[in-house]
Amino acid sequence: MYSLQAIIRKNINCATYQFERLGQVANNVSNYQTNAYKVTKFEQMLREDGYLTGVLRTDARQGDLLVTNNPYDMAINGNGYFPVISPEGEIQYTRDGAFTRGEGGYLMTGDGWLVGDGIKIPSNSYKFTVSPNGDVYNYDYAGSEPVLIGHIPIVEFDSPESLEQGHNNKMVPTEESGPPRLIGEHNYIVQHQIETSNTNVFDEVNEMLRLNASMIASLNLMKVADDMYNKAINIRE
């Protein structure tokens, strides 16, 4: 009797775990066109009591860079994240460099978060350029001398795989990721380019199909064990 109950409990645990993984894989697939989206993966572990558990990890590998004609599009060709600040003052981190000229002329994310400490693009700007080291220069007119108007910082983490999903394609640090650390000298920023998602759609769809089949098998086994358990109760009665 006890072994049947144990089988049912373990299959419930297994089915629940697989359902959570299926949801995560579906989220990866749905974000395959999201700029700079980072795939999340479950690292499966078997506990000493025989039950499955898992740890969610971020795949921090860089996505492909796509060339655009938009001067507000920027990508990081290397390690690191752009620090961005919400209207409420919260700091999170992103590699989605599809920026815009927002309220007051400041460089912002598409959902209104300030980039860096605040870089104001003049309303009469002829053009602006971003150097690989993050320095932003403005030109008042064709042939004018460039004027430094700000700097876009980049930070890195000891363990970017341990970052957690934050607000709208942003990341937040955890104890395992460590605090953000400013990258002093670099040449990582490229203007007129955007990073694409690192989702491999074919791998994720294959994983979704495998998990779906595994869930069906677990649920069928659980039903068989439940039927046997009910029959054993009826026999005792």
Side-chain angles (χ1 to χ4, degrees), residues 17-180:
Y17 174 69
Q18 289 167 336
F19 184 78
E20 291 175 353
R21 290 185 63 191
L22 186 63
Q24 194 58 51
V25 172
N27 185 62
N28 289 336
V29 173
S30 67
N31 280 286
Y32 83 100
Q33 288 186 320
T34 301
N35 294 334
Y37 175 78
K38 297 294 176 260
V39 168
T40 52
K41 298 285 188 181
F42 272 104
E43 290 185 0
Q44 182 173 306
M45 292 181 291
L46 186 65
R47 299 191 327 217
E48 293 181 0
D49 58 6
Y51 287 87
L52 284 172
T53 187
V55 177
L56 195 62
R57 297 290 186 189
T58 300
D59 183 349
R61 289 179 298 176
Q62 180 176 314
D64 294 331
L65 300 187
L66 178 67
V67 177
T68 74
N69 293 320
N70 189 344
Y72 289 94
D73 285 343
M74 301 168 207
I76 300 175
N77 189 17
N79 298 326
Y81 293 81
F82 298 114
V84 293
I85 305 173
S86 75
E88 296 74 32
E90 181 182 3
I91 301 176
Q92 293 188 13
Y93 306 89
T94 186
R95 288 181 64 93
D96 181 359
F99 301 139
T100 64
R101 185 178 183 273
E103 183 178 355
Y106 286 96
L107 192 65
M108 292 184 174
T109 63
D111 56 352
W113 289 48
L114 196 67
V115 178
D117 294 328
I119 301 164
K120 188 171 184 177
I121 310 297
S123 58
N124 62 344
S125 173
Y126 171 72
K127 72 172 183 178
F128 72 95
T129 61
V130 182
S131 298
N133 68 354
D135 288 340
V136 183
Y137 293 91
N138 180 65
Y139 295 78
D140 290 331
Y141 53 87
S144 66
E145 291 295 319
V147 177
L148 181 66
I149 58 173
H151 177 81
I152 301 175
I154 295 180
V155 300
E156 62 183 352
F157 297 87
D158 290 334
S159 177
E161 295 80 10
S162 300
L163 293 170
E164 293 183 350
Q165 292 286 341
H167 179 272
N168 198 14
N169 202 25
K170 302 175 185 67
M171 309 299 289
V172 293
T174 64
E175 185 176 346
E176 290 184 351
S177 73

